[in-house]
C-alpha cells in the first residue's frame, strides 16, 4: 500500500526521493533515507530530511537551504568575511538565518556582545535546533536573541544601531522576495553605525546572474563601498555562490584573524582570495567600478 507522501517527495522501486524543481529544464533528485520532520508552518512548507549524499538537510517550500555535508562552507564564508573586516564588532544583526549556522559562527568572536537573529518563521529555528545539530550546533549562547518578525519590518525601526548586518535569506521568492528590495538595503544602511557594514547572499553567478547583478547594483547605489566575494557550496545549484558586501568604511579582511579561528573552510588564504572573481563576473560588474 503506497503511503501518502508530502509534496516534493516521491517513491519508486529505488527508494524515496526529494525533487528540487530548480528551474524549467533543471530538476535535482536527492535519494532520502528518512523524513525526520515535515509540516506546513504559517509561512512555508518545512522539512528536515536525512539524505544519502548530503546528510541531513533543511528544505523550505521544496528548496534545499542547507545540509550537514557543506552548510559550514556557506555559514563560515558569510560570517567570517564581515567579522574579519570590521576591527571591533560588538552588535551583529542576522536577518533570516533560521538554521542558526550563521549565529553559531558569529558566537566564535568574544568581542561580539549581542547577536540578534530576526527570523520570520519560528518553526525553522525549532526544528533545526532539534534535528540539524551539525549546522545549528544546538545554539544556546546567551548573547543570541531570536526575534520572530519579517526582516523588512524590523530594520525599518531597529531598537539599536549595529556594527554588522548579515542577510542570510532563502532564495528571493516567497517570504524572502522582499529581502532584495532597494528600500530594504536602505533601511539596513540606516540601521548601521557610521562605520558599519552588511553582507548578503546574492545567488548563483551561473544560474541567477541577473538577480546577482540586481542585488549588487542596489547595494552599490546605497553604500559608499560595494564588493563581491564567492565560495563553492556543492549543495547549491552550480556550486559557485556569490555574496555582496556593502560598507560605510572598512572593506579589507584582516586575514590573520583566521589563525585563531576553529573553522573547517575559511582560513587566511581563503580570506585573501575570496574577493578574486572569475573574469566573466569581473566583466559583468565592471560597469559599477
Ligand atoms: N543559506 C540558505 C540559503 O542560502 O538558501 C538560507 C538559510 S536560512 C534557513 C533562510 C531563512 O530566511 C529561512 O529560515 C526563512 O524562513 C528566512 N526568511 C525568509 N524570508 C524572510 C523575511 N522576510 N524575514 C526574515 N526571515 C526570512
Amino acid at each position: 500500500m503506497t503511503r501518502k507522501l508530502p509534496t516534493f517527495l516521491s517513491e519508486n522501486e529505488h527508494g524515496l526521493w526529494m525533487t528540487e524543481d530548480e528551474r524549467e529544464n533543471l530538476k535535482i533528485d536527492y535519494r532520502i533515507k528518512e523524513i525526520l520532520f515535515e509540516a506546513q508552518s504559517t509561512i512555508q512548507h518545512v522539512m528536515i530530511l536525512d539524505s544519502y549524499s548530503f546528510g541531513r538537510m533543511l528544505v523550505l517550500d521544496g528548496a534545499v537551504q542547507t545540509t550537514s555535508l557543506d552548510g559550514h562552507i556557506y555559514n563560515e564564508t558569510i560570517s567570517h568575511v564581515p567579522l574579519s573586516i570590521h576591527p571591533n564588532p560588538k552588535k551583529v544583526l542576522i536577518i533570516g538565518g533560521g538554521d542558526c549556522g550563521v549565529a553559531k559562527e558569529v558566537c566564535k568572536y568574544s568581542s561580539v556582545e549581542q547577536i540578534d537573529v530576526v527570523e520570520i518563521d519560528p518553526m525553522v529555528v525549532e526544528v533545526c535546533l532539534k534535528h540539524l545539530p551539525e549546522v545549528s550546533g544546538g545554539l544556546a549562547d546567551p548573547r543570541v536573541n531570536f526575534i520572530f518578525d519579517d526582516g523588512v519590518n524590523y530594520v525599518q525601526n531597529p531598537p539599536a544601531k549595529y556594527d554588522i548586518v548579515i542577510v542570510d535569506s532563502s532564495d528571493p521568492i516567497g517570504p524572502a522576495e522582499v529581502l532584495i528590495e532597494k528600500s530594504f538595503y536602505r533601511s539596513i544602511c540606516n540601521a548601521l553605525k557610521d562605520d558599519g557594514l552588511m553582507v548578503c547572499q546574492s545567488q548563483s553567478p551561473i544560474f541567477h546572474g541577473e538577480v546577482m547583478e540586481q542585488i549588487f547594483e542596489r547595494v552599490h547605489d546605497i553604500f559608499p563601498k560595494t564588493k563581491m566575494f564567492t565560495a563553492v557550496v556543492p549543495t547549491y545549484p552550480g556550486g559557485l555562490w556569490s555574496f555582496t558586501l556593502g560598507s560605510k568604511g572598512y572593506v579589507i579582511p584582516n586575514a590573520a584573524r583566521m589563525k585563531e579561528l576553529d573553522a573547517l573552510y575559511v582560513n587566511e588564504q581563503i580570506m585573501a582570495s575570496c574577493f578574486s572573481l572569475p573574469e566573466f563576473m569581473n566583466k559583468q560588474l565592471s560597469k559599477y567600478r
Side-chain angles (χ1 to χ4, degrees), residues 119-133:
E119 163 58 54
I120 199 168
D121 191 342
M123 183 185 280
V124 174
V125 174
E126 191 197 321
V127 298
C128 289
L129 288 176
K130 186 166 176 208
H131 298 292
L132 203 53

Side-chain angles (χ1 to χ4, degrees), residues 44 58 60 65 74 95-99 118-121 124 149-151 168-171 175-176 178-179 201 236 241:
Q44 55 209 338
L58 168 66
L60 299 178
Q65 302 294 311
Y74 172 95
I95 305 277
D99 59 58
V118 176
E119 163 58 54
I120 199 168
D121 191 342
V124 174
D149 189 3
D150 185 329
D168 175 21
S169 67
S170 18
D171 298 334
V178 286
L179 300 183
Q201 69 95 357
Y236 295 157
W241 209 250

Side-chain angles (χ1 to χ4, degrees), residues 16-32:
L16 179 64
W17 299 84
M18 202 298 283
T19 301
E20 178 161 354
D21 191 350
E22 171 49 32
R23 52 202 291 123
E24 200 189 338
N25 304 315
L26 175 62
K27 308 207 181 316
I28 306 167
D29 270 341
Y30 301 86
R31 189 163 170 231
I32 303 299

Side-chain angles (χ1 to χ4, degrees), residues 48-263:
I48 302 274
L49 303 173
D50 191 9
S51 72
Y52 283 91
S53 303
F54 287 81
R56 291 188 176 199
M57 45 171 57
L58 168 66
V59 182
L60 299 178
D61 286 341
V64 180
Q65 302 294 311
T66 188
T67 69
S68 55
L69 176 77
D70 60 13
H72 62 278
I73 299 176
Y74 172 95
N75 291 324
E76 288 183 15
T77 304
I78 201 170
S79 311
H80 299 305
V81 169
L83 279 148
S84 70
I85 289 174
H86 195 290
N88 188 21
K90 290 197 177 326
K91 285 185 189 302
V92 176
L93 170 62
I94 300 168
I95 305 277
D99 59 58
C100 302
V102 170
K104 186 180 82 177
E105 294 304 321
V106 177
C107 287
K108 291 178 180 174
Y109 291 78
S110 52
S111 71
V112 173
E113 297 164 355
Q114 182 181 332
I115 305 162
D116 294 339
V117 180
V118 176
E119 163 58 54
I120 199 168
D121 191 342
M123 183 185 280
V124 174
V125 174
E126 191 197 321
V127 298
C128 289
L129 288 176
K130 186 166 176 208
H131 298 292
L132 203 53
E134 302 88 346
V135 173
S136 70
L139 193 67
D141 190 303
R143 293 172 293 172
V144 178
N145 314 300
F146 289 105
I147 298 142
F148 296 113
D149 189 3
D150 185 329
V152 166
N153 301 338
Y154 184 83
V155 284
Q156 275 165 5
N157 197 4
K161 294 250 181 197
Y162 293 90
D163 298 299
I164 292 176
V165 176
I166 300 173
V167 184
D168 175 21
S169 67
S170 18
D171 298 334
I173 50 174
E177 197 170 347
V178 286
L179 300 183
I180 64 164
E181 293 301 332
K182 202 168 175 179
S183 54
F184 174 62
Y185 296 130
R186 192 172 289 112
S187 300
I188 290 179
C189 195
N190 298 337
L192 284 165
K193 294 177 186 169
D194 296 346
D195 62 352
L197 53 103
M198 66 147 272
V199 294
C200 58
Q201 69 95 357
S202 43
Q203 301 291 110
S204 161
I206 307 284
F207 288 125
H208 317 129
E210 272 172 51
V211 176
M212 178 194 81
E213 184 175 340
Q214 211 178 31
I215 292 171
F216 190 88
E217 181 183 14
R218 291 171 181 177
V219 174
H220 179 267
D221 288 351
I222 289 165
F223 283 84
K225 298 178 182 167
T226 308
K227 292 178 83 174
M228 182 162 280
F229 55 104
T230 64
V232 176
V233 186
T235 291
Y236 295 157
L240 183 63
W241 209 250
S242 77
F243 304 86
T244 297
L245 166 78
S247 180
K248 292 181 170 185
Y250 314 112
V251 286
I252 311 294
N254 170 355
R257 252 194 213 160
M258 296 300 108
K259 279 208 196 82
E260 309 108 41
L261 199 69
D262 120 48

